[in-house]
Amino acid sequence: MGSDKNSAGLLPTLRMERVRTILTHTYPYPHEHSRHAIIAVVVGCLFFISSDNMHTLIEKLDKNIKWWSMYIAWILVAALYHLPSFQSMGLDMRMNLSLFLSIYISSILFLIVFHIIFLGLWYLGLVSRVAGRRPAILTILQNCAVISIACCVFYSHCGNRAMLRDRPFERKTSNWFSFWKKEERNTWLAKFVRMSELKNQVCSSWFAPVGLASDYPLLSKWVIYGELACNGSCPGSSDEISPIFSLWATFIGLYMANYVVERSTGWALTHPLSVEEYENLKKNQMKPDFLDMVPWYSGTSADLFKTAFDLLVSVTLFVGRFDMRMMQAAMSRVHEGTQQDDLFYDHLSEKEDLWFDFMADTGDGGNSSYTVARLLAQPSIQLSKEDSVLTLPRGDLLLVGGDLAYPNPSGFTYERRLFSPFEYALQPPTWYKHEHIAVNKPELPEGISQLKEYDGPQCFLIPGNHDWFDGLNTFMRYICHKSWLGGWFMPQKKSYFALHLPKRWWVFGLDLSLHNDIDVYQFKFFSELVKNKVGENDTVIVMTHEPQWLLDWYWNENSGQNVSHLICDYLKGRCKLRIAGDMHHYMRHSYVPSEGPVHVHHLLVNGCGGAFLHPTHVFSSFNKFYGKTYECKASYPSFHDSNRIALGNILKFRKKNWQFDFFGGVIYFILVFSMFPQCKLDHILQGDSFSGHLGSFVGTVWDNFVYVLEHSFLSLTGVVLLLIMAIAFVPSKVSRKKRAIIGIIHVSAHLAAALILMLLMELGLETCIRHKLLATSGYHSLYQWYRSVESEHFPDPSGLRARMEQWTFGLYPACIKYLMSAFDVPEVMAVTRSNICKNGIQALSRGGAVIYYASIFLYFWVFSTPVVSLVFGSYLYICINWFHLHFDEAFSSLRIANYKSFTRFHINRDGDLEVFTLAVDKVPREWMLDPDWDMEQKQPQQLSHRRKYPSKWSAAAGQQDPVNTVRVVDHFVIRQNEKPDFVSSNGSVSR
């Protein structure tokens, strides 16, 4: 397989042999490094230090990204040290890697022994009691890594050679500060240009070894000797102590000394926080601890698995078998026929006018949820309208249309994703305790005897489908049995309600549960309320969680029969407005005047309260509801912007959903598992032209595809399961035939990508093997090479290493040996591949096969993850923009926090309803303590809604603060005195 004849064709055209010869270093290893590498390191360090980029980068890397970066660094180092190009620069990564692992393991063992001894002294009472606090293992590992890297950098630059054997001590001392002598500065500047001389000066003067072994007779058997520095054969062993050992011992000694002083002198008791820790703590207190948006495609989130489980349990148990709404109806007290204290509220009906707000679908990202909450909390919002300034006071009432927290209802999500942003925007009273449960609502503030006397903002909420995932348990506990959502008072006792507002306006808040309809007890309450309380000239706003007019049109269904019956047969034209959330965008449709009854004048969807964005262009063709024609009057974002945003699935899917890589890479590996290894690649490598190579490559991909279908077991099983999942993933609104076609095309794209990646990886391995870059030294090539050069660069005349091997029963060299093998994955992979191609897969033991496929997986997984994200993101883009499918999946993947809005209503003195929809195009990501809020004088018992500056955080960039960027995206008026036509009970048309 490695013959010269087989390497003809493509490889000679690329002149790989010539390139390899040119790049191979010709001078002895290890220390005559290219000055270009040193200059590049210096310049890079200066750049990061001056621009502070490294500090910013480290701050932004979360824990998962750090582990991902370590994994990528590991496999890259394992692959790159085989390349001769680094050796041509004088940088042989084998020595650095071997030295790092040796020092790292030794440092860990040494520090662990030290900490055990120190804890023993603490147990005996010989040190301060504060020393009993156990050290963090991650801190030990981090310190050992830093020490090892420092020693490797020193070795790369200076080696392990003692360079001051023949120089007197006085000369050594005088050179330490020679740079600061004025008469020698010019000499140093000249030497800086001559990098090799500067290097020798630094190594010999600034990092000189501590001396000779003869200087330390008591430790002569324990010292690690320096490199043999002589021309030709050396007459005897080196007597010089290793500079690397000196550096390592210095760092270890400093760590031990610092630890002993800190733990045994009581310093930690008198100084509980260092200056750096105090500054970090202070900095964290000066910004909110908002949660990021839910990663819907993470695949590894425990919240998402809990969401799926809760949904399954709720659908099979709670809905239809144990419905919480039945329990609420049974517990409600009935007075005077239809009057129910727990469901009906008329304390606002006597006001002259009323401002109230509507928002829905909050509790996803902290930045987006707080943006809306901050606007809702402002005493007033000033907007520029043409040549005038429009002032909109804060709503006395806040209506929330469901989905209060994502992805599932739990104490954590409600507290961190819902209550936290609202409490930052408008603080609850000082006497309010989060753990308090309201037994008898409404629990009014002190000095107020009736609900109608309270003049602060109030809040009423209905549950959404996400709130029903646990059978409404969390909603009941946090909404119906608590009194405050931030500074908004919550008198609500049940999950549905009726509000009597001024000027004969009503709000019916319906609970649709998970089957998109009201139950019979709920229907009975509202129908009797309409008969006995709602006048013929009254007007009703129906609030539901889901916009059934849009979803029924999209899915071609007819849901909410009881809701339709209530609106059409009981309200009879008195419902002029329906409002809903669930769809995370804003759309308003108004009816087109025509003959016949109009059951609803306006249909309004606004689910931009804090969740990810939904598209609008998918619903651009909607125009029918209850047999009437409707016209889209406003959409936010616009249809054009919505179409453009969908393109982000191709460009940003992996960036937004990098956790998706975990399952994506595993699936790709399963699809091509049976294809490894590819031993017959001569026909690809022997082509005479690019078209010939490409044709052979495509033919090989097709042959492998046929092999998967005809001979493979595991890969074929993976293809079949993936096909079933892909077909089930296609929305059910299309026919089964189209779903099957879309699923087959989707899976074929993934399978083709996986086969291409597999073949490219095998070609790379084959090329390296033929050019003797891999599969040349066996499974432990790195360890064997290190042992071959160890005696030269790290001599051991006292036999210390042999005694350590004896004392540890062989554990010390075995540990280093197998750890180095873990950093030589390409060699292991190439050697095993060559054995399989020569003797067959049956020649491998079960353990050998596991090692081979695990090694293949490590690299194939990294290569495949960007591709699987690109293919899947492209699939979502094509479906959403070409076929209007996957509107939920294609936009939840983007996790867009921008385009947030809420709707503010005003019932004026004439009884008309003014409707303003306010929006913020870009949500701030950085917040700071609002100086106005901080400096405003606070009274002990003052309610937060009376403050001029009620919100704690403002945008770090003032021009990006939502108070300054909010704008009106829709404005219309509903006249109460315009009576719509409706069908009377006898079938005639009345006016």
Side-chain angles (χ1 to χ4, degrees):
M1 186 174 294
S3 63
D4 296 338
K5 181 179 179 180
N6 291 340
S7 62
L10 175 62
L11 298 180
T13 60
L14 296 178
R15 291 178 169 80
M16 291 296 296
E17 190 67 31
R18 180 180 177 185
V19 172
R20 187 174 67 87
T21 303
I22 294 175
L23 295 181
T24 303
H25 66 282
T26 58
Y27 44 81
Y29 182 81
H31 316 302
E32 301 302 324
H33 290 272
S34 170
R35 64 177 180 273
H36 303 292
I38 304 300
I39 293 176
V41 172
V42 173
V43 173
C45 293
L46 292 177
F47 170 76
F48 282 117
I49 293 173
S50 61
S51 61
D52 202 29
N53 285 348
M54 182 62 73
H55 177 70
T56 304
L57 178 64
I58 292 175
E59 279 193 343
K60 290 183 178 180
L61 291 178
D62 59 18
K63 183 177 180 180
N64 294 325
I65 293 292
K66 290 179 180 178
W67 285 109
W68 170 260
S69 302
M70 291 172 60
Y71 173 75
I72 296 298
W74 165 39
I75 63 172
L76 282 179
V77 169
L80 293 179
Y81 82 76
H82 287 279
L83 300 181
S85 58
F86 288 91
Q87 299 176 18
S88 68
M89 297 176 61
L91 182 61
D92 193 334
M93 296 182 65
R94 291 177 296 180
M95 178 58 79
N96 291 275
L97 182 57
S98 304
L99 187 61
F100 171 81
L101 295 175
S102 301
I103 298 178
Y104 186 64
I105 294 297
S106 302
S107 301
I108 291 176
L109 295 176
F110 195 90
L111 290 184
I112 288 178
V113 172
F114 161 74
H115 283 293
I116 293 175
I117 295 175
F118 194 80
L119 288 176
L121 295 177
W122 166 82
Y123 182 77
L124 297 175
L126 300 179
V127 295
S128 173
R129 305 308 300 177
V130 73
R133 187 179 62 181
R134 296 180 180 179
I137 186 64
L138 290 179
T139 303
I140 297 176
L141 297 179
Q142 181 178 356
N143 280 281
C144 291
V146 171
I147 293 173
S148 303
I149 292 174
C151 292
C152 290
V153 171
F154 174 82
Y155 180 78
S156 297
H157 189 64
C158 300
N160 193 35
R161 180 180 305 171
M163 306 183 70
L164 301 179
R165 172 181 294 180
D166 300 326
R167 297 184 181 181
F169 179 78
E170 294 77 14
R171 178 58 180 169
K172 289 193 294 185
T173 306
S174 63
N175 279 343
W176 276 94
F177 301 96
S178 61
F179 177 75
W180 304 106
K181 295 182 180 181
K182 184 175 181 180
E183 60 275 11
E184 296 189 16
R185 288 180 185 174
N186 294 335
T187 304
W188 268 90
L189 292 176
K191 288 183 178 181
F192 183 79
V193 178
R194 299 189 299 272
M195 184 60 65
S196 59
E197 295 185 14
L198 174 63
K199 181 196 71 172
N200 293 334
Q201 185 73 15
V202 171
C203 294
S204 61
S205 300
W206 293 5
F207 296 103
V210 296
L212 305 177
S214 57
D215 298 333
Y216 305 93
L218 295 178
L219 302 177
S220 59
K221 295 296 182 182
W222 298 93
V223 296
I224 299 179
Y225 288 84
E227 181 179 355
L228 297 179
C230 57
N231 296 324
S233 59
C234 297
S237 62
S238 172
D239 188 39
E240 297 163 346
I241 295 180
S242 166
I244 295 179
F245 170 72
S246 302
L247 186 64
W248 176 82
T250 301
F251 286 142
I252 291 292
L254 289 175
Y255 174 87
M256 296 170 55
N258 178 75
Y259 191 86
V260 170
V261 170
E262 178 179 328
R263 296 300 182 94
S264 60
T265 59
W267 181 90
L269 292 177
T270 57
H271 300 80
L273 290 177
S274 65
V275 175
E276 182 179 359
E277 291 173 336
Y278 175 78
E279 292 297 330
N280 291 335
L281 180 62
K282 183 179 179 181
K283 185 177 181 180
N284 290 333
Q285 292 176 345
M286 299 296 288
K287 63 180 181 180
D289 53 343
F290 289 148
L291 296 178
D292 198 4
M293 304 195 76
V294 175
W296 296 100
Y297 287 85
S298 70
T300 57
S301 173
D303 282 339
L304 298 183
F305 285 106
K306 183 179 184 300
T307 300
F309 176 78
D310 288 344
L311 178 60
L312 178 64
V313 172
S314 297
V315 171
T316 57
L317 177 61
F318 293 109
V319 178
R321 292 176 174 83
F322 180 76
D323 197 327
M324 181 60 72
R325 295 174 299 181
M326 299 180 184
M327 178 76 70
Q328 294 178 90
M331 295 177 62
S332 299
R333 296 170 297 171
V334 180
H335 300 284
E336 300 178 6
T338 60
Q339 177 70 34
Q340 298 191 17
D341 294 340
D342 293 349
L343 301 172
F344 174 70
Y345 302 86
D346 62 351
H347 57 285
L348 300 172
S349 60
E350 299 178 1
K351 290 180 174 291
E352 290 295 324
D353 67 339
L354 181 71
W355 290 86
F356 64 99
D357 300 322
F358 170 75
M359 57 93 70
D361 299 272
T362 186
D364 190 353
N367 293 324
S368 54
S369 298
Y370 178 73
T371 294
V372 177
R374 174 171 168 79
L375 291 173
L376 293 170
Q378 297 305 303
S380 63
I381 297 177
Q382 293 186 345
L383 303 162
S384 298
K385 185 179 181 181
E386 298 177 354
D387 296 334
S388 60
V389 177
L390 182 65
T391 302
L392 306 180
R394 177 174 51 215
D396 298 315
L397 173 67
L398 172 62
L399 302 175
V400 183
D403 278 355
L404 307 182
Y406 294 90
N408 60 74
S410 64
F412 175 82
T413 56
Y414 264 55
E415 290 172 3
R416 293 295 305 276
R417 295 188 180 275
L418 172 65
F419 279 83
S420 179
F422 277 81
E423 288 175 354
Y424 282 140
L426 193 67
Q427 290 77 44
T430 55
W431 66 82
Y432 171 73
K433 298 183 181 299
H434 291 83
E435 63 274 10
H436 177 69
I437 296 178
V439 179
N440 297 314
K441 294 180 72 173
E443 293 184 332
L444 298 169
E446 185 177 355
I448 299 176
S449 58
Q450 298 182 13
L451 184 58
K452 64 174 59 179
E453 297 177 3
Y454 179 71
D455 60 350
Q458 303 173 36
C459 182
F460 285 81
L461 311 92
I462 59 173
N465 57 303
H466 284 268
D467 304 305
W468 264 97
F469 284 176
D470 67 342
L472 212 63
N473 176 65
T474 307
F475 181 91
M476 297 296 295
R477 181 157 46 100
Y478 278 88
I479 303 301
C480 299
H481 295 294
K482 287 186 180 292
S483 296
W484 297 91
L485 173 62
W488 285 269
F489 183 61
M490 292 192 300
Q492 177 180 348
K493 302 177 184 178
K494 299 293 184 290
S495 64
Y496 55 93
F497 54 86
L499 294 172
H500 189 191
L501 304 182
K503 307 300 180 180
R504 306 191 310 276
W505 282 89
W506 295 75
V507 172
F508 287 1
L510 310 183
D511 179 5
L512 302 182
S513 183
L514 288 175
H515 55 192
N516 305 327
D517 205 357
I518 57 176
D519 62 302
V520 62
Y521 299 100
Q522 197 173 171
F523 179 85
K524 179 181 179 181
F525 164 72
F526 285 110
S527 60
E528 292 182 353
L529 188 67
V530 171
K531 290 180 180 179
N532 299 319
K533 292 292 183 180
V534 180
E536 292 186 359
N537 296 324
D538 291 1
T539 307
V540 177
I541 301 172
V542 175
M543 180 174 69
T544 58
H545 168 61
E546 290 190 347
Q548 294 168 321
W549 54 95
L550 289 182
L551 295 178
D552 286 352
W553 167 84
Y554 181 84
W555 296 107
N556 194 24
E557 295 178 349
N558 186 20
S559 64
Q561 299 296 324
N562 292 340
V563 177
S564 300
H565 184 35
L566 177 67
I567 293 176
C568 299
D569 298 331
Y570 282 84
L571 290 178
K572 299 178 180 179
R574 284 173 284 184
C575 176
K576 290 189 177 180
L577 176 65
R578 284 195 64 176
I579 57 178
D582 190 61
M583 303 304 299
H584 309 159
H585 59 227
Y586 175 77
M587 294 188 75
R588 174 173 67 90
H589 293 84
S590 298
Y591 84 104
V592 178
S594 61
E595 295 183 358
V598 180
H599 299 292
V600 183
H601 274 213
H602 304 278
L603 306 169
L604 186 150
V605 183
N606 193 348
C608 302
F612 63 87
L613 183 68
H614 268 143
T616 56
H617 68 280
V618 174
F619 305 93
S620 59
S621 300
F622 165 79
N623 59 2
K624 290 287 185 179
F625 186 59
Y626 287 157
K628 304 299 292 184
T629 302
Y630 286 80
E631 179 183 2
C632 182
K633 295 294 186 179
S635 67
Y636 179 77
S638 66
F639 296 151
H640 173 74
D641 290 340
S642 175
N643 192 293
R644 174 183 53 82
I645 292 171
L647 184 62
N649 277 288
I650 299 179
L651 305 176
K652 301 179 181 179
F653 181 88
R654 186 167 191 249
K655 178 182 178 182
K656 297 287 186 178
N657 307 278
W658 60 268
Q659 301 97 327
F660 182 74
D661 292 347
F662 181 80
F663 283 129
V666 173
I667 291 174
Y668 267 34
F669 183 71
I670 293 175
L671 294 180
V672 298
F673 178 85
S674 302
M675 303 298 104
F676 290 106
Q678 294 286 306
C679 298
K680 299 179 181 180
L681 300 177
D682 293 346
H683 61 289
I684 299 179
L685 300 176
Q686 291 177 356
D688 297 330
S689 63
F690 176 77
S691 59
H693 295 307
L694 182 61
S696 300
F697 184 87
V698 174
T700 305
V701 172
W702 174 255
D703 292 339
N704 281 282
F705 174 74
V706 174
Y707 180 85
V708 169
L709 298 180
E710 294 182 350
H711 303 286
S712 173
F713 292 99
L714 180 62
S715 295
L716 181 60
T717 302
V719 171
V720 173
L721 292 178
L722 185 62
L723 182 60
I724 295 174
M725 294 172 57
I727 295 176
F729 185 64
V730 180
S732 58
K733 66 171 296 184
V734 299
S735 65
R736 293 182 178 178
K737 181 179 179 180
K738 291 183 178 179
R739 294 176 66 186
I741 293 174
I742 294 174
I744 291 173
I745 295 175
H746 186 195
V747 172
S748 298
H750 284 296
L751 181 57
L755 290 173
I756 291 173
L757 289 173
M758 177 275 302
L759 196 54
L760 288 174
M761 183 172 172
E762 286 292 286
L763 283 173
L765 273 174
E766 180 71 13
T767 302
C768 291
I769 292 174
R770 293 192 178 195
H771 286 274
K772 304 186 185 307
L773 298 176
L774 290 174
T776 59
S777 305
Y779 291 110
H780 300 287
S781 60
L782 181 61
Y783 179 74
Q784 292 171 3
W785 177 88
Y786 180 66
R787 289 301 298 265
S788 66
V789 299
E790 186 179 41
S791 59
E792 177 184 356
H793 301 288
F794 299 94
D796 183 23
S798 61
L800 178 61
R801 281 191 288 267
R803 282 181 287 183
M804 289 181 62
E805 181 177 354
Q806 180 182 1
W807 294 340
T808 59
F809 301 99
L811 181 63
Y812 169 71
C815 181
I816 296 296
K817 178 180 180 180
Y818 288 102
L819 188 61
M820 288 185 179
S821 296
F823 277 84
D824 199 5
V825 180
E827 185 73 13
V828 173
M829 191 164 45
V831 171
T832 309
R833 180 182 182 276
S834 298
N835 293 337
I836 294 175
C837 292
K838 183 178 180 180
N839 303 316
I841 188 67
Q842 64 276 3
L844 285 183
S845 64
R846 183 172 300 179
V850 170
I851 293 175
Y852 170 70
Y853 285 110
S855 303
I856 289 288
F857 173 76
L858 292 175
Y859 281 91
F860 184 81
W861 183 68
V862 174
F863 295 153
S864 62
T865 48
V867 179
V868 65
S869 296
L870 178 62
V871 173
F872 188 74
S874 300
Y875 164 78
L876 291 178
Y877 169 73
I878 293 173
C879 287
I880 188 66
N881 273 12
W882 293 11
F883 308 111
H884 287 180
L885 300 175
H886 294 301
F887 72 87
D888 201 16
E889 295 85 356
F891 270 65
S892 64
S893 63
L894 299 177
R895 301 165 63 189
I896 299 174
N898 297 324
Y899 300 99
K900 291 293 155 279
S901 68
F902 69 97
T903 301
R904 179 155 290 179
F905 301 90
H906 179 213
I907 302 176
N908 59 29
R909 296 177 182 271
D910 297 329
D912 298 334
L913 182 68
E914 296 181 88
V915 184
F916 304 86
T917 296
L918 310 180
V920 174
D921 296 333
K922 188 173 180 60
V923 169
R925 296 183 179 181
E926 298 293 335
W927 304 91
M928 68 176 185
L929 188 67
D930 191 339
D932 295 326
W933 177 89
D934 191 37
M935 292 186 294
E936 184 178 3
Q937 187 175 3
K938 305 175 182 64
Q939 301 298 329
Q941 300 298 322
Q942 182 185 23
L943 295 175
S944 57
H945 70 271
R946 301 186 184 277
R947 299 186 58 182
K948 184 178 180 181
Y949 304 101
S951 300
K952 183 175 183 180
W953 310 109
S954 61
Q959 67 275 13
Q960 296 181 359
D961 194 89
V963 177
N964 300 324
T965 60
V966 63
R967 63 187 181 93
V968 178
V969 295
D970 190 23
H971 176 215
F972 66 102
V973 179
I974 302 177
R975 307 289 180 185
Q976 190 184 53
N977 56 7
E978 294 178 358
K979 294 185 59 179
D981 297 339
F982 64 92
V983 181
S984 63
S985 58
N986 57 11
S988 61
V989 178
S990 303
R991 294 184 180 274

